[in-house]
Amino acid sequence: MTTEIRHIVYDIGHVLVHYDPLVPFSRIIPDPEKRARFFAEVCTDAWNHEQDRGRPWPEAEAEAIARHPEEAENIRAFRAHWDEMIPYAYEDSVALYQSLIAAGHDVTLLTNFAPDTFRICRTRYPFLDEGRGITVSGEVGMVKPDRDIFDRHVETFGLAPEATLFIDDKAVNVEGAKTAGWNAVRFTGADALKADLAGFGITA
């Protein structure tokens, strides 16, 4: 028998808010091949992940510039134009998130984000503060999918892992949550999430 879900935990990027570095970089590096190489070799996902862990941007820029001095201007442009990378929220997903809160469900958020860029996101999208609270990876020095950030979120918000449902767009993070004893589903869209929630007996 499935444990009753008493806590719902949302990821933010690609679940509630769109994130896409190509928005500014399609302009900054117009050539598709050069742009692809830049993200594959210079400002990679692994490089950005360390900012999510809390590495300061000046240190991140210095590290990348040391590897690719010819890309210094473009490397600095990543942070300088970061605000363009979160151009809109997913209205249907946000509406579902808000309806869950309005229905009295315990909703918190757990996100991989650099502290300073999260402040930009939080200011632009005030609905992020409508839940009970947020764990931001860069503020605690831990990142998904590592076990410690899930345990930290449980401790911070007094969750029962077996009664917690996590929603994230990345399969690796979904598996990380399951390893921590949570229930978890991969987000592919608001309609699919409604069906997933219904499967756990959750309605909004």
Side-chain angles (χ1 to χ4, degrees):
M1 181 177 177
T2 303
T3 303
E4 178 187 2
I5 298 299
R6 303 194 303 276
H7 316 289
I8 301 170
V9 183
Y10 267 84
D11 176 36
I12 294 175
H14 294 295
V15 175
L16 295 169
V17 173
H18 187 65
Y19 169 75
D20 187 0
L22 295 182
V23 175
F25 272 92
S26 292
R27 178 185 73 251
I28 294 165
I29 307 178
D31 183 273
E33 291 186 6
K34 291 181 179 178
R35 188 168 62 246
R37 187 191 70 80
F38 178 78
F39 284 112
E41 300 177 10
V42 185
C43 289
T44 64
D45 287 342
W47 173 83
N48 196 42
H49 197 59
E50 293 309 305
Q51 284 76 272
D52 289 345
R53 198 187 302 274
R55 177 171 64 178
W57 284 101
E59 182 181 324
E61 290 171 353
E63 186 277 335
I65 290 169
R67 288 187 287 110
H68 295 277
E70 75 285 359
E71 295 280 10
E73 184 176 351
N74 291 331
I75 290 165
R76 293 190 183 99
F78 192 101
R79 175 61 184 87
H81 296 275
W82 187 91
D83 61 320
E84 297 178 48
M85 299 180 190
I86 50 165
Y88 58 88
Y90 303 128
E91 292 184 5
D92 54 353
S93 183
V94 173
L96 177 57
Y97 155 87
Q98 291 176 317
S99 68
L100 290 167
I101 295 169
H105 294 286
D106 179 38
V107 178
T108 57
L109 299 101
L110 171 57
T111 184
N112 279 358
F113 241 110
D116 60 330
T117 52
F118 183 69
R119 288 192 290 272
I120 296 171
C121 188
R122 193 173 201 166
T123 298
R124 185 174 308 174
Y125 301 110
F127 62 78
L128 295 174
D129 284 310
E130 293 176 15
R132 188 158 64 91
I134 310 170
T135 295
V136 179
S137 64
E139 295 178 357
V140 298
M142 307 170 184
V143 288
K144 297 177 295 180
D146 299 345
R147 171 72 183 261
D148 54 2
I149 197 168
F150 294 101
D151 292 343
R152 172 67 175 262
H153 193 78
V154 163
E155 181 181 355
T156 300
F157 295 102
L159 310 184
E162 71 280 0
T164 299
L165 177 64
F166 182 54
I167 302 158
D168 197 292
D169 66 297
K170 292 186 177 179
V172 66
N173 294 337
V174 167
E175 292 308 310
K178 289 179 179 178
T179 298
W182 298 20
N183 299 280
V185 295
R186 187 174 183 184
F187 180 84
T188 58
D191 289 340
L193 178 56
K194 285 181 184 177
D196 288 334
L197 291 168
F200 285 93
I202 300 169
T203 56

